[in-house]
Amino acid sequence: MVFLGFFLMISRRRAVSQVVGFLLMDNGIAATAFLAAAGVPLIVELGVSLDLFLIVLVLQVLTARMRLKFGGTDLDDLRQLRDS
């Protein structure tokens, strides 16, 4: 999962795809840590699930605002907005 997330981050052109790659890489690191440990208490699992739900919700709101303001999430279009 870590390598797949890293590949998504470096190979995709859309900002949303890169964020998904980052989240996949982050979750892969967390899954590896959980597998290396003997076990995870239920309260920790619920906390991680809530964290993931909130991240997806925030990303949905940010993506919708980017599409409204800039008309899309293509990185080539967004690069033109930076100050030179």
Side-chain angles (χ1 to χ4, degrees):
M1 282 179 55
V2 174
F3 292 123
L4 184 63
F6 184 70
F7 179 72
L8 279 174
M9 283 178 54
I10 62 172
S11 66
R12 300 295 179 187
R13 301 298 307 158
R14 298 205 176 265
V16 176
S17 299
Q18 289 184 352
V19 170
V20 168
F22 177 75
L23 287 174
L24 186 62
M25 192 169 66
D26 182 45
N27 288 333
I29 292 170
T32 304
F34 290 149
L35 289 174
V40 180
L42 180 64
I43 192 71
V44 174
E45 290 180 9
L46 291 175
V48 169
S49 298
L50 179 65
D51 184 39
L52 183 63
F53 174 72
L54 290 176
I55 288 172
V56 169
L57 185 67
V58 167
L59 287 176
Q60 179 64 33
V61 170
L62 289 177
T63 303
R65 286 186 175 207
M66 283 175 67
R67 285 191 180 140
L68 280 173
K69 183 144 185 141
F70 303 120
T73 58
D74 192 15
L75 288 180
D76 291 331
D77 296 337
L78 295 176
R79 279 198 187 109
Q80 294 174 358
L81 297 173
R82 71 177 175 173
D83 294 330
S84 298

